[in-house]
Amino acid sequence: MENHSNFIKTIIETDLATKKHDEIVTRFPPEPNGHLHIGHARAIVTDFESAIAYGGYTNLRFDDTNPVKEDDSYVQAIIKDIRWLGYEPKNILFASDYFDEMYERAVLLIKKGLAYVDHQTPEEIQKTRGDVNTPGIESPYRNRSVEENLKLFNDMKEGKFKEGECVLRAKIDMASPNMNMRDPVIYRIVYAHHHNTKDKWCIYPMYDYAHPLEDAIEGITHSLCSLEFEDHRPLYDWFVKETEMPKVPRQIEFGRLNIENAVLSKRFLRAIVEDGKVIGWDDPRMPTIAGMRRRGYTPDAIKNFILSTGLSKVNSTVSTDMLEAAVRDDLQDKAYRAMGVINPLKVTITNYPENEVEYLDVEYHPDHEKMGRRNIPFSRHIYIEQDDFVLEKPNKKYKRLALNVEVRLFHAYFIKAYDVKYNEQGEIIEVLATYDKETKSGSGFNERKPNGTIHFVEATHAVPATFNFFEPLINNDTSLPLLDRFNDDSWHVKKGFVEEALKDTKPQDRYQFVRNGYFNVDDDSTQENLIFNEVVPLKSSYK
Ligand code: ATP
Ligand code: MG
């Protein structure tokens, strides 16, 4: 991977040069309430690459402080996605592993007179926070004694209160210009089963309190996060300092990544999965890592794309074209070249003997001999694309087959069409042609310029295949609510043929079907029912 410099690396280099740290430790802290998407990939690449570049390491830490929305299936899916991207966390940890220590440190805050149990309702707390221009109003419970607070906090833990009856708040400054410093809530009561700690706790720490402590406990040196946490940084630093954590992590924010015409909201993605609008989190149209994997994007393409977007201190929106270009660049050398016909039209080569088949030996990639070779059958019966034939050549630019026009078939012979057959609806169902056996594998190409080169599949050995084509999941009508923008017409299916050599192909094999685009074998593909997903068209101007 190229070594891109960025403002985070500059900070890390200074910290190493001044011996502030000997080793760089970062973490990726997802909440296990959904699958990872391309936006998370920016955070993952940034966290891992920032450590790898300096011989450090990265922890994967699940931010599982909200038992209601979280689920173990998400934990497993997230681990799988990170490994697929090519990163191995040094440790796989859970915020919930630290609940005991977090509790003890909250007790310490109470003892220092820096936290209190507040009996106001959530609505009252919200209302008395004030706004940017108005200071907040101090809670009537704010000046309780340390003893009373210790007892009440213990009672909270013991389950003596109902949900919402009270919370533990930090005692900071109700007039702070930074709203996050206006006595933020540190613990709330939730009676829910936690996937890790089961029923041990009925109080759960809030993210702003939990996160800095988790970082400090793990000895994270640089806690990299997206921009929306910038205003939370003073609180982050306050908690680390006042809970007297021995190790002091530093939070650094970077801009979020958005993709044009893609929705990277876990809420939206979960909603369309739960509504059955998509086939799952790994639907090839989804901007999730699992969806992109199933579609046929490669880990390198995703990483190169993320790195090429640069890392900045502002949020950015990048076009889908840029992502697709990275995929194309990567598949250019990795995908096997093969032939597939998506909209088949029968061609009969009437001067080729019936019942005879010959095999043409062809490489899988013109630039990479080590990708191997395969045999392509050729006979009297072939399929070409419907689009590659018209009755009469319309103009000079038309470089395909027409009546009395000669074209070259990739890797095979020149053929010339001379007649067609129609069905009852008047549609062309078959083209009759002749071939010139002196033109095998393109010989004679120079003397006799054919009217272009088209691809084909030999019909008697062709393997039937399903081709899936995808459009963006949402339309551009930004006046509508997100869920109403769902594009029901975003998955198109075609039934065609691929060459015989592909009959044993397996999920995740990738091909460039010449002149058609890049395709990936779908996870549900079997020998009886081959399924190819279009990864990207050959050029962005294709559609
Ligand atoms: P939620 O609203 O559920 O918190 P989230 O997208 O923030 O959604 P997390 O699981 O909290 O999800 O994300 C893990 C990490 O990924 C966070 O540190 C977050 O900053 C980062 N992240 C999420 N989305 C993006 C994005 N679009 N660009 C860059 N980083 C992101
Ligand atoms: Mg988040």
Side-chain angles (χ1 to χ4, degrees), residues 62-175:
F62 289 98
D63 169 30
D64 57 347
T65 52
N66 186 358
V68 184
K69 288 190 293 175
E70 295 157 6
D71 191 275
D72 194 57
S73 70
Y74 295 135
V75 169
Q76 299 313 323
I78 288 170
I79 295 173
K80 178 178 168 189
D81 287 348
I82 292 172
R83 290 199 170 130
W84 180 76
L85 281 174
Y87 296 116
E88 188 58 42
K90 169 94 173 214
N91 303 293
I92 297 179
L93 303 163
F94 292 86
S96 54
D97 293 338
Y98 313 131
F99 281 173
D100 287 295
E101 176 158 1
M102 288 179 197
Y103 178 81
E104 291 309 323
R105 302 266 172 191
V107 169
L108 175 65
L109 288 180
I110 295 175
K111 286 182 178 159
K112 291 168 79 174
L114 293 175
Y116 60 97
V117 173
D118 193 347
H119 282 279
Q120 294 183 105
T121 63
E123 295 74 38
E124 283 166 338
I125 292 178
Q126 186 53 37
K127 260 212 303 251
T128 52
R129 272 180 94 216
D131 57 38
V132 215
N133 306 310
T134 332
I137 300 163
E138 294 189 354
S139 163
Y141 305 97
R142 196 173 196 260
N143 295 312
R144 283 180 148 149
S145 70
V146 168
E147 287 66 38
E148 196 182 358
N149 279 316
L150 285 174
K151 178 182 179 302
L152 290 170
F153 187 44
N154 189 61
D155 287 349
M156 277 174 68
K157 181 179 77 137
E158 297 299 319
K160 295 191 181 160
F161 297 109
K162 293 198 281 289
E163 270 184 29
E165 211 176 330
C166 54
V167 292
L168 185 72
R169 289 177 82 177
K171 189 171 174 178
I172 308 178
D173 180 3
M174 286 305 287

Side-chain angles (χ1 to χ4, degrees), residues 29 31 40 63 207 226 228-229 256 266:
E31 193 180 347
H40 292 114
D63 169 30
Y207 181 88
S226 44
E228 71 271 21
F229 294 104
R256 283 177 93 90
K266 273 193 275 187

Side-chain angles (χ1 to χ4, degrees), residues 313-414:
K313 295 183 203 186
V314 292
N315 295 336
S316 55
T317 300
V318 176
S319 75
T320 315
D321 285 353
M322 202 169 147
L323 176 56
E324 293 197 341
V327 174
R328 223 176 271 121
D329 276 356
D330 193 50
L331 291 182
Q332 161 88 14
D333 284 322
K334 289 182 182 162
Y336 292 84
R337 306 280 169 91
M339 292 199 281
V341 172
I342 291 163
N343 295 297
L345 173 62
K346 228 161 105 174
V347 177
T348 305
I349 301 163
T350 50
N351 63 338
Y352 197 95
E354 186 71 81
N355 299 325
E356 206 175 297
V357 180
E358 67 179 300
Y359 282 89
L360 308 157
D361 171 46
V362 179
E363 77 279 327
Y364 266 120
H365 197 297
D367 306 329
H368 301 290
E369 192 59 41
K370 65 174 192 312
M371 288 173 78
R373 309 180 71 80
R374 85 280 192 192
N375 279 320
I376 298 179
F378 189 80
S379 79
R380 182 183 171 97
H381 304 284
I382 65 170
Y383 292 116
I384 64 169
E385 299 287 351
Q386 287 166 19
D387 276 359
D388 282 341
F389 177 77
V390 286
L391 285 174
E392 207 173 317
K393 182 172 168 168
N395 54 47
K396 269 195 166 156
K397 279 199 208 135
Y398 180 83
K399 290 289 174 205
R400 292 174 252 173
L401 190 62
L403 288 184
N404 301 314
V405 164
E406 189 173 52
V407 295
R408 175 183 163 227
L409 296 172
F410 260 111
H411 310 300
Y413 296 94
F414 290 10

Side-chain angles (χ1 to χ4, degrees), residues 256-302:
R256 283 177 93 90
L257 174 69
N258 295 300
I259 309 284
E260 249 171 36
N261 291 331
V263 180
L264 302 184
S265 142
K266 273 193 275 187
R267 258 184 50 193
F268 172 78
L269 298 176
R270 199 176 323 115
I272 60 177
V273 170
E274 284 168 6
D275 289 359
K277 284 184 176 294
V278 290
I279 62 170
W281 285 94
D282 65 347
D283 186 300
R285 294 167 294 177
M286 292 279 270
T288 52
I289 306 290
M292 293 189 292
R293 172 174 57 230
R294 185 160 184 175
R295 172 114 174 217
Y297 288 18
T298 56
D300 282 348
I302 294 172

